[in-house]
Amino acid sequence: MIAVLMGGNSAEREVSLESGEAVYEALKSQHIECFKFDWNGDNLNDLWSQEFSLAFIVLHGRGGEDGVIQKLLEDRHIAYTGSNSIASANGMDKHLCKQIWHSMNLPLAPSTLAQKDTQLSTINFSLPWAIKPASEGSSIGISKVTKASQFNDALKLARHYDSKVLIEQWITGDEYTVAILGDKALPVIKIVTDQDFYNYESKYVSNTTQYLCPCGLSKAKEEQLQKIAIQAFQAINATGWGRVDFILDQNNTPYLLEINTVPGMTSHSLVPMAAKAANITFEQLVQQIINEA
């Protein structure tokens, strides 16, 4: 019996519910015994009272992607999909993740952690900047700061979601993403949005966002991104499946943006799209994620 863990109480709850429904339907279509469980943050006793041998985690954001639910399952010796609690925590904290990647000499934009007394003059890289919560997904709470007068409002917005805030040099360029399944990178997807960047609206609301696969890069450049994605994935000891996001500047130089250890599985989501480009159906994708658990 498989428990599909969905919902949660993060800012990504609605996306998680949609992802969970898609996974549940895929399991049912393959006659796999399963049930949906909507975790609201304080009803886990209802989950532990049910019999199941595997948890399929599609909880996005805090609680589901940061190692919390993984640790609770580990403590009960229950198998689950995706990365373990430590790797999940490392991936969710953008600052910690970038420190690990930096130690591996992976390509990153300059960044610093905002302190309570951080002043514009103490930041030693040039505008524009991305100011973002360190542990939030789906581009929630991110601001693009192009002039000094926007700085305090951007900090305030990010701190609404997280006390830990990352200030990162804004790289102007095209966004790409690499889905990983097991130890293999799937075809690269280029993301084209009419928004200022690939924000929450362009991810989940807009119908004008384009996802290009084939991505239009040369074979050598696509393979370079796939190689870096695998290195980034393995650097935090992620396993099973995930997604690594990049931006390529005007010189086609890649910069790592972030990693998702529980990516979306909705109709707009990128892992199913990349899998389809690799001739993997949604049902096969779900089965392969289970096989990696």
Side-chain angles (χ1 to χ4, degrees), residues 109-131:
S111 66
T112 187
L113 204 58
Q115 307 299 333
K116 284 190 176 175
D117 57 350
T118 295
Q119 302 295 318
L120 286 157
S121 58
T122 64
I123 301 168
N124 61 2
F125 46 88
S126 60
L127 285 161
W129 301 326
I131 296 184

Side-chain angles (χ1 to χ4, degrees), residues 208-227:
T208 60
T209 304
Q210 296 177 63
Y211 305 99
L212 308 181
C213 193
C215 65
L217 294 173
S218 68
K219 187 170 186 291
K221 181 58 71 171
E222 181 163 7
E223 288 174 353
Q224 181 195 19
L225 290 191
Q226 290 172 317
K227 181 181 178 183

Side-chain angles (χ1 to χ4, degrees), residues 32-46:
I32 296 170
E33 288 194 326
C34 59
F35 64 91
K36 293 181 285 188
F37 185 79
D38 180 356
W39 180 31
N40 63 20
D42 60 4
N43 61 341
L44 278 178
N45 285 338
D46 295 341

Side-chain angles (χ1 to χ4, degrees), residues 228-240:
I228 296 170
I230 292 286
Q231 290 172 330
F233 189 73
Q234 293 176 345
I236 66 160
N237 296 316
T239 54

Side-chain angles (χ1 to χ4, degrees), residues 4-147:
V4 180
L5 305 189
M6 56 200 281
N9 53 6
S10 80
E12 298 175 80
R13 173 176 170 78
E14 294 307 315
V15 181
S16 174
L17 288 171
E18 197 178 330
S19 290
E21 192 66 43
V23 168
Y24 174 76
E25 291 300 332
L27 292 171
K28 294 293 283 185
S29 73
Q30 297 174 84
H31 309 292
I32 296 170
E33 288 194 326
C34 59
F35 64 91
K36 293 181 285 188
F37 185 79
D38 180 356
W39 180 31
N40 63 20
D42 60 4
N43 61 341
L44 278 178
N45 285 338
D46 295 341
L47 176 64
W48 308 138
S49 68
Q50 302 192 59
E51 291 287 325
F52 63 101
S53 57
L54 176 77
F56 196 117
I57 300 174
V58 270
L59 289 157
H60 309 316
R62 293 169 193 257
E65 203 165 350
D66 57 4
V68 170
I69 193 69
Q70 289 83 358
K71 183 68 168 67
L72 292 169
L73 290 161
E74 288 163 8
D75 289 345
R76 286 163 177 77
H77 307 289
I78 299 170
Y80 58 86
T81 56
S83 297
N84 68 23
S85 57
I86 295 171
S88 298
N90 288 344
M92 187 68 180
D93 185 327
K94 294 179 180 70
H95 177 63
L96 179 59
C97 187
K98 286 176 189 292
Q99 286 182 312
I100 295 168
W101 286 345
H102 181 71
S103 73
M104 305 287 287
N105 293 315
L106 293 172
L108 296 166
S111 66
T112 187
L113 204 58
Q115 307 299 333
K116 284 190 176 175
D117 57 350
T118 295
Q119 302 295 318
L120 286 157
S121 58
T122 64
I123 301 168
N124 61 2
F125 46 88
S126 60
L127 285 161
W129 301 326
I131 296 184
K132 58 182 78 172
S135 297
E136 197 60 77
S138 289
S139 303
I140 290 165
I142 293 182
S143 299
K144 181 181 181 180
V145 172
T146 58
K147 52 190 177 183

Side-chain angles (χ1 to χ4, degrees), residues 124-267:
N124 61 2
F125 46 88
S126 60
L127 285 161
W129 301 326
I131 296 184
K132 58 182 78 172
S135 297
E136 197 60 77
S138 289
S139 303
I140 290 165
I142 293 182
S143 299
K144 181 181 181 180
V145 172
T146 58
K147 52 190 177 183
S149 60
Q150 299 168 328
F151 181 67
N152 288 332
D153 284 346
L155 275 181
K156 186 177 178 182
L157 175 64
R159 283 182 172 141
H160 175 73
Y161 294 99
D162 194 348
S163 58
K164 195 173 178 181
V165 171
L166 193 67
I167 304 170
E168 190 173 55
Q169 188 155 57
W170 188 280
I171 305 294
T172 299
D174 295 325
E175 293 199 40
Y176 295 83
T177 193
V178 181
I180 293 167
L181 187 56
D183 58 359
K184 293 187 172 63
L186 298 180
V188 178
I189 297 172
K190 180 179 181 180
I191 300 157
V192 181
T193 175
D194 54 8
Q195 304 284 323
D196 204 14
F197 64 102
Y198 187 45
N199 57 17
Y200 187 92
E201 181 170 332
S202 55
K203 286 178 180 178
Y204 303 116
V205 180
S206 173
N207 288 317
T208 60
T209 304
Q210 296 177 63
Y211 305 99
L212 308 181
C213 193
C215 65
L217 294 173
S218 68
K219 187 170 186 291
K221 181 58 71 171
E222 181 163 7
E223 288 174 353
Q224 181 195 19
L225 290 191
Q226 290 172 317
K227 181 181 178 183
I228 296 170
I230 292 286
Q231 290 172 330
F233 189 73
Q234 293 176 345
I236 66 160
N237 296 316
T239 54
W241 69 305
R243 208 188 76 227
V244 178
D245 298 338
F246 291 86
I247 194 153
L248 266 63
D249 70 10
Q250 282 119 335
N251 298 317
N252 251 11
T253 302
Y255 294 87
L256 282 162
L257 289 176
E258 62 179 77
I259 186 168
N260 297 269
T261 54
V262 186
M265 293 285 273
T266 74
S267 60

